[in-house]
Amino acid sequence: MSRFFRKADDSDSDSESSSEEELMSSDDEAPKAAASTTKPAMSRFLRSAGDDSDSESESESESEEESMSEDEEKGKKKSRFLRTEDSDEESDEDEGKRVVKSARDKRLEEMEASGKQMDNALKINDWVAISNEFDKLVRMVQRQQNLAEPVPPFYLRQLQTLESSLNAALAKEKEAKKKMNASNARALTAMKQKVKKVMKEYEIDLKKFQEDPEAFEREFNASVSTEVPAAKPKKKKAVDEEDEGDEEFKTVGKGGKSYQFTPETILKNLQAVQEARGKKNTDRAEQIRILEKLLEVAVTSYQQIRVLLALISARFDYNSSVSSYMPIELWTSAQKEVDQLVGILVRNPKYAIQETTEDYDELVERSPETEKDAIVLVRGSIISFVDRLDDEFTKSLQHIDPHGTEYVDRLKDEKSLYCTICRAQTLYEQTKQDDPLGRVIMRRLEHIYSKPDAVVQALESAVSASDIKPSITFSQSSTKQLIHSLCIHLYKSGNSLLRTRAMLSHIYHYALHNDFHTARDMLLMSHLQESVHSADVATQILYNRTVVQVGLSAFRVGLIRESQQILQDIFATQRVKELLAQGVHQRYQVLTPEQEKAERQRQLPFHMHINTELLEAAFLVSSMLVEIPLLASIENEEQKRKTISKSFRRLLDFADRQVFTGPPESTRDHIMQASRALQDGEWEKCRDLVQGIKIWSLMPEAASVKEMLTKRIQEEGLRTYLFTYAPHYSTLSLSLLSRTFSLPLRGVTSIVSKMIWNEELSASLDHATGVLVFHRVEVMRSHQLAQVLADKLNTMVEQNEKALDQKLGNAANWNDRGDGQKGDKRGEQTQERRRGGERRGGVRGGARGGRGARFAQGLGSQMPGAQRNRG
């Protein structure tokens, strides 16, 4: 039975049994031994007020303490958890004997424990356990280095042991007939790379350790012994110093340096802190504490500016790891200090911060009155602080689970960050610095271009409540005016990258608000599709997001064909998540750790993602409404090769090959079964299946979108019916078609007339009787072959044009279009070439000829109706 469930009777019985065993050995000493064994057992769990005298007598008698057995010592250790007020004297004695270990000693003990585990695993050749313990050991050493502590000799000795063991294991593995299992072999290979990398990192320390291990250990022990008293001074010394009557407060830092915090010594202490910045053994946390105390005693504006610049930089330098994000507490403190610094500069316009200033004596305090030009320049950069705050905020969102409450709590900090960006914009508007002003406006635009109006209004309300406001503020009418004003300012900037990103953000905002035609025209007139492949990765991601949002905008307003052809560009690559920076594509080739880290750093936060399932639903439904009538209009096997959406045709063929079709579960199942129903003329079943897709609820104005889809399904169902059953009719009543597809008679007449005009249907309308009269036209074999040959030639011309455009685009530079002239000229040449191609190779009304400028040249498809829109 466990001792925690033992009753008083059990303890007594145990003690009595032990006393009976001792009676067998000695009759005279038995009563004393029994008494000495029972009383501590009683005092462990059932100590009462009557046992005080016994406990006091035991604590005072030194002879009984010396004769205590190991069992009694364990009992006293256990009694600490159940100690009462009656055992105060015993607790005082325990505190006197207790050994207090520092954090450094605890870390060293943990390292040694990991080393022992590795040694035990080496004996049994368990490289999986060795790899896990080695990773743990490396993390502890890195943590120790972040605290500016030297590398322990034990770690270097362990590295040497691992290297020799690795070489022996690899040599033995090559010669062994029976190979080790796959997991152990992979761990062995991974350990070889890890140890090689770590030994290269500590190459200097290893060289010193190999030359003289004893001297290295003595140096390590000396550094440990000198740092411990300075870190934790004893209470007696502090009391003695107070009794001596020191008037000024001094702080003893690492290495015995003393800091005196007075307004007169601020600049001197600040210079000492800055000289220690970046050195290997610098304690970053101690530097931050010193700078915080310097900020408290700063009096003048110049002192506050200098200390704040150093303090913000120290907070950003605290976390040197690139993979992890800045702690939220440090980020919040840095954001408040940036706000404080901007407020000081706005209220004191005679002080200016610039990245490049003339050299001056940093120990001499400057004031506007002592300067000739009445402007004091301080070396620093507010825009770099703002960029770092924004980047660390994004990095933290990348590492936090988006489905937890921590992510939502972190998103609340965006309002304060947005206010800081707007305050920095006000500062640069006051100082009239164009380049930093453009950068900070771009940061502000990136926070609002993709958000709904309600979120933008919430962010702008916080700015309006601030004491420092920029000149470009929010208008109560809509957010379009705010986005337009910010983009117009960036269009005038001399930085071509800012102009490009501003244009893409502006187009994205128009598409988000269902203004498809404006967004499409701006994208075509910018000619970005011709040179975006030369831009940086972040700009290419923004371009892909903009194109996708334009396609969704076309879908929402009912332009199904345009939406299908725009979205086909990105779905043809089968790398949708990677191109939108919402996931890493699983390639066949293995990425290096650096490449994989760079890929993950480009990922957008979860709240900025475009729902890929909704995007796929819009693309597949659009493809269904375009492809199904095309399939019904095919007359022979040669024309079956003509496809608009290969991905949709592949999914449809796979669905047709299935023997058994169950009820739809996913979005693809709904759309594939709806396509079959549309082919069979069951438009009502097709409507129910499409509207049954649950993902439509995530689309804005879902009710109007479903209503639009119902109308388009009716129209395309009518066209599919006419293509399918035209050979079986001589005449067909328009009123019957109207009742069958629940369309108005005028709408049926319009659809049929358009099909006749486009030569898709060989028929004529008899308005007197309201009948559609079909004509039998026998197409000769030579005519069919000529038609197929014309289609192939048209496809070849389009492929040649695409290859030529890619060649011209690769030859052009990204900055060639700084004034817009070269891009416009190239666009005019392409336009003229395609006009000539349409005049030469127009087939069946020219609908399948050259379609104009493309959205995404790198993705390899073409923009629908671009030539008509430009013309």
Side-chain angles (χ1 to χ4, degrees):
M1 182 182 294
S2 174
R3 62 184 178 84
F4 295 105
F5 298 93
R6 189 175 295 163
K7 298 181 180 179
D9 297 336
D10 299 335
S11 63
D12 293 340
S13 62
D14 294 340
S15 61
E16 288 174 4
S17 63
S18 63
S19 64
E20 289 176 1
E21 292 175 0
E22 292 182 359
L23 282 172
M24 297 174 64
S25 61
S26 176
D27 296 331
D28 297 332
E29 297 177 1
K32 297 180 182 180
S36 62
T37 54
T38 54
K39 287 182 180 179
M42 290 288 291
S43 63
R44 293 177 195 169
F45 305 103
L46 300 173
R47 185 172 292 168
S48 60
D51 299 329
D52 294 340
S53 59
D54 296 334
S55 61
E56 291 176 358
S57 61
E58 289 174 2
S59 62
E60 292 175 356
S61 58
E62 297 179 357
S63 61
E64 290 181 359
E65 288 178 355
E66 294 176 355
S67 62
M68 280 195 305
S69 62
E70 295 179 0
D71 297 335
E72 291 171 337
E73 290 178 359
K74 293 181 181 179
K76 280 197 173 185
K77 290 182 181 179
K78 295 173 183 177
S79 66
R80 293 177 187 173
F81 300 98
L82 299 173
R83 192 169 289 162
T84 60
E85 297 179 355
D86 301 328
S87 58
D88 293 338
E89 295 181 2
E90 292 183 1
S91 64
D92 294 339
E93 292 180 5
D94 292 339
E95 288 179 359
K97 296 179 182 179
R98 188 181 303 154
V99 179
V100 179
K101 297 181 180 179
S102 63
R104 182 200 300 271
D105 295 337
K106 292 180 181 179
R107 286 194 297 271
L108 291 176
E109 288 183 358
E110 292 180 3
M111 293 180 194
E112 292 177 358
S114 296
K116 291 180 180 178
Q117 295 289 340
M118 293 171 62
D119 294 337
N120 294 334
L122 281 172
K123 294 177 182 178
I124 60 175
N125 203 25
D126 187 1
W127 290 100
V128 177
I130 295 171
S131 178
N132 296 333
E133 292 296 331
F134 183 72
D135 293 339
K136 182 180 178 182
L137 183 62
V138 169
R139 286 195 299 269
M140 287 189 288
V141 174
Q142 288 178 352
R143 191 184 312 146
Q144 188 169 358
Q145 282 190 319
N146 291 336
L147 297 175
E149 296 179 0
V151 181
F154 160 76
Y155 181 62
L156 302 177
R157 189 181 298 110
Q158 193 70 29
L159 286 177
Q160 291 180 346
T161 305
L162 273 176
E163 185 184 17
S164 58
S165 301
L166 273 171
N167 295 332
L170 290 171
K172 185 178 179 180
E173 180 67 14
K174 291 180 181 179
E175 298 175 357
K177 296 181 180 179
K178 185 178 180 182
K179 302 294 182 180
M180 62 176 66
N181 55 30
S183 60
N184 210 17
R186 286 195 299 267
L188 177 62
T189 307
M191 276 298 300
K192 180 181 178 182
Q193 302 296 330
K194 291 178 184 178
V195 171
K196 183 178 179 182
K197 180 180 178 181
V198 174
M199 292 190 70
K200 186 176 181 181
E201 183 178 356
Y202 298 98
E203 184 177 0
I204 300 176
D205 294 331
L206 280 169
K207 187 176 181 181
K208 293 181 181 179
F209 181 76
Q210 290 173 358
E211 291 176 356
D212 194 353
E214 296 180 357
F216 192 89
E217 290 185 1
R218 286 196 301 269
E219 184 180 354
F220 176 77
N221 295 329
S223 63
V224 171
S225 60
T226 54
E227 291 178 7
V228 170
K232 287 190 176 181
K234 293 183 179 179
K235 294 182 180 179
K236 280 188 176 182
K237 291 185 178 181
V239 173
D240 294 338
E241 289 177 359
E242 291 178 359
D243 294 338
E244 289 177 1
D246 291 341
E247 297 180 357
E248 297 176 351
F249 178 75
K250 296 182 180 180
T251 299
V252 179
K254 191 173 181 181
K257 294 182 180 180
S258 61
Y259 294 94
Q260 185 177 0
F261 299 106
T262 59
E264 292 78 13
T265 60
I266 284 181
L267 298 180
K268 183 178 179 182
N269 293 333
L270 188 62
Q271 186 182 20
V273 171
Q274 289 178 347
E275 288 176 354
R277 178 186 175 189
K279 293 184 178 179
K280 187 174 183 180
N281 295 328
T282 302
D283 190 353
R284 298 186 180 96
E286 182 66 23
Q287 277 194 325
I288 292 175
R289 287 193 293 269
I290 293 172
L291 291 171
E292 286 175 347
K293 292 179 180 178
L294 289 177
L295 183 61
E296 292 176 359
V297 300
V299 178
T300 63
S301 299
Y302 181 77
Q303 292 176 351
Q304 292 176 352
I305 292 171
R306 291 285 306 278
V307 174
L308 282 172
L309 287 172
L311 180 57
I312 297 169
S313 300
R315 292 195 189 279
F316 287 140
D317 293 343
Y318 183 80
N319 186 22
S320 59
S321 178
V322 181
S323 59
S324 61
Y325 62 93
M326 185 178 180
I328 298 177
E329 295 79 10
L330 286 178
W331 185 91
T332 305
S333 302
Q335 183 263 328
K336 293 178 180 178
E337 287 156 4
V338 171
D339 282 348
Q340 182 181 356
L341 178 59
V342 172
I344 295 173
L345 294 172
V346 171
R347 288 189 293 270
N348 298 277
K350 294 183 180 180
Y351 292 97
I353 294 181
Q354 294 183 358
E355 295 186 12
T356 56
T357 58
E358 297 180 359
D359 295 334
Y360 55 86
D361 189 1
E362 295 184 353
L363 298 178
V364 178
E365 183 172 351
R366 300 302 179 99
S367 62
E369 290 78 11
T370 60
E371 295 294 324
K372 295 181 180 179
D373 54 357
I375 294 292
V376 176
L377 297 179
V378 185
R379 187 181 296 111
S381 176
I382 301 294
I383 184 61
S384 61
F385 291 157
V386 174
D387 291 342
R388 184 68 184 273
L389 281 174
D390 201 1
D391 294 340
E392 290 292 340
F393 176 76
T394 305
K395 192 186 297 184
S396 65
L397 292 175
Q398 292 174 347
H399 287 78
I400 298 175
D401 182 16
H403 304 291
T405 57
E406 186 181 0
Y407 191 89
V408 179
D409 295 338
R410 183 57 174 157
L411 271 180
K412 295 178 182 178
D413 295 333
E414 187 175 11
K415 184 181 292 185
S416 59
L417 174 61
Y418 187 75
C419 291
T420 302
I421 294 173
C422 293
R423 290 165 69 92
Q425 179 183 344
T426 307
L427 173 63
Y428 285 117
E429 287 175 351
Q430 179 178 312
T431 57
K432 297 180 180 180
Q433 301 181 34
D434 294 335
D435 184 61
L437 179 59
R439 289 167 59 187
V440 77
I441 288 178
M442 191 67 237
R443 289 282 179 177
R444 182 183 178 186
L445 182 63
E446 287 174 349
H447 278 272
I448 60 177
Y449 81 94
S450 61
K451 291 183 172 58
D453 292 346
V455 180
V456 177
Q457 291 176 9
L459 294 175
E460 289 293 331
S461 62
V463 176
S464 60
S466 177
D467 55 343
I468 301 175
K469 304 174 186 177
S471 60
I472 304 176
T473 55
F474 174 70
S475 176
Q476 295 295 332
S477 58
S478 64
T479 58
K480 288 185 179 181
Q481 186 62 34
L482 174 63
I483 301 292
H484 180 76
S485 301
L486 295 175
C487 291
I488 288 298
H489 188 281
L490 291 173
Y491 293 155
K492 300 177 183 178
S493 173
N495 192 335
S496 62
L497 180 60
L498 293 182
R499 292 198 306 269
T500 302
R501 294 186 65 85
M503 175 67 73
L504 292 173
S505 302
H506 206 176
I507 296 169
Y508 189 101
H509 188 74
Y510 276 121
L512 189 66
H513 289 76
N514 295 335
D515 194 352
F516 167 74
H517 295 91
T518 305
R520 180 199 59 188
D521 294 343
M522 288 181 64
L523 189 58
L524 291 175
M525 292 172 64
S526 64
H527 299 281
L528 292 176
Q529 62 275 8
E530 300 173 4
S531 53
V532 71
H533 60 275
S534 302
D536 58 316
V537 178
T539 305
Q540 291 182 14
I541 292 171
L542 180 58
Y543 174 82
N544 295 333
R545 285 168 52 83
T546 303
V547 169
V548 165
Q549 195 60 243
V550 170
L552 287 176
S553 175
F555 181 82
R556 288 192 293 265
V557 298
L559 301 174
I560 299 298
R561 187 175 295 274
E562 288 80 355
S563 174
Q564 190 274 333
Q565 293 181 348
I566 294 170
L567 295 179
Q568 185 178 353
D569 293 342
I570 194 167
F571 275 95
T573 62
Q574 299 181 358
R575 296 186 296 123
V576 179
K577 288 188 176 181
E578 183 182 3
L579 293 176
L580 298 179
Q582 297 177 189
V584 179
H585 182 66
Q586 298 295 331
R587 298 182 179 87
Y588 291 104
Q589 65 271 21
V590 180
L591 297 178
T592 62
E594 291 78 10
Q595 291 175 343
E596 186 176 358
K597 187 183 297 183
E599 286 283 344
R600 297 195 180 277
Q601 287 178 355
R602 297 191 190 105
Q603 304 303 306
L604 294 174
F606 181 76
H607 68 284
M608 295 182 66
H609 284 190
I610 298 175
N611 194 303
T612 53
E613 186 178 356
L614 179 63
L615 189 64
E616 185 182 20
F619 169 68
L620 291 179
V621 170
S622 301
S623 301
M624 177 190 72
L625 296 176
V626 173
E627 281 279 357
I628 297 302
L630 179 64
L631 285 173
S633 65
I634 291 176
E635 299 176 358
N636 50 38
E637 293 296 329
E638 290 291 336
Q639 292 180 344
K640 285 186 179 180
R641 300 177 184 176
K642 294 165 48 177
T643 59
I644 296 178
S645 176
K646 293 183 179 179
S647 56
F648 175 81
R649 188 70 68 86
R650 185 168 55 252
L651 291 174
L652 188 62
D653 293 340
F654 179 76
D656 290 338
R657 287 196 300 268
Q658 289 183 348
V659 179
F660 173 76
T661 303
E665 296 179 357
S666 63
T667 302
R668 289 185 179 181
D669 294 342
H670 279 81
I671 297 174
M672 292 302 106
Q673 293 191 16
S675 302
R676 282 184 174 181
L678 190 61
Q679 281 181 317
D680 298 337
E682 301 176 357
W683 69 270
E684 294 178 346
K685 182 180 178 181
C686 176
R687 176 200 61 191
D688 296 338
L689 286 169
V690 170
Q691 290 187 354
I693 300 174
K694 298 180 180 179
I695 200 65
W696 297 130
S697 59
L698 299 180
M699 183 172 285
E701 303 176 358
S704 61
V705 171
K706 289 182 179 180
E707 184 179 354
M708 178 271 299
L709 288 176
T710 301
K711 183 179 179 181
R712 296 308 303 269
I713 288 173
Q714 291 173 340
E715 294 175 355
E716 298 302 327
L718 172 60
R719 297 180 71 248
T720 305
Y721 182 84
L722 292 176
F723 282 136
T724 305
Y725 297 103
H728 306 285
Y729 286 99
S730 58
T731 59
L732 188 59
S733 174
L734 296 178
S735 59
L736 176 63
L737 293 176
S738 176
R739 291 191 303 269
T740 303
F741 293 95
S742 300
L743 287 171
L745 183 60
R746 186 173 182 180
V748 173
T749 306
S750 175
I751 294 172
V752 172
S753 302
K754 189 175 181 180
M755 293 175 67
I756 295 173
W757 175 261
N758 292 332
E759 298 181 3
E760 295 175 343
L761 195 64
S762 179
S764 60
L765 278 174
D766 188 354
H767 292 283
T769 58
V771 172
L772 177 63
V773 180
F774 294 94
H775 305 292
R776 295 288 178 267
V777 178
E778 295 294 336
V779 181
M780 298 178 64
R781 179 64 178 169
S782 59
H783 189 190
Q784 292 179 356
L785 294 176
Q787 184 69 35
V788 171
L789 181 60
D791 291 340
K792 289 183 178 180
L793 289 175
N794 190 25
T795 303
M796 187 181 300
V797 169
E798 289 183 355
Q799 290 178 354
N800 290 336
E801 289 181 355
K802 182 175 66 175
L804 181 60
D805 287 345
Q806 288 180 351
K807 184 177 180 181
L808 292 177
N810 292 329
N813 193 5
W814 175 249
N815 295 322
D816 285 345
R817 294 180 60 252
D819 54 354
Q821 294 180 0
K822 292 187 178 181
D824 293 339
K825 184 176 181 181
R826 186 166 63 250
E828 292 173 1
Q829 293 174 353
T830 305
Q831 188 174 0
E832 289 296 330
R833 185 173 64 253
R834 289 180 178 172
R835 285 177 181 171
E838 285 188 353
R839 287 193 296 266
R840 290 191 302 270
V843 181
R844 296 183 71 174
R848 296 187 178 91
R851 295 191 180 95
R854 293 186 303 277
F855 266 125
Q857 180 178 347
L859 300 179
S861 57
Q862 295 151 346
M863 170 62 195
Q867 183 61 48
R868 295 191 296 273
N869 294 327
R870 287 188 178 182

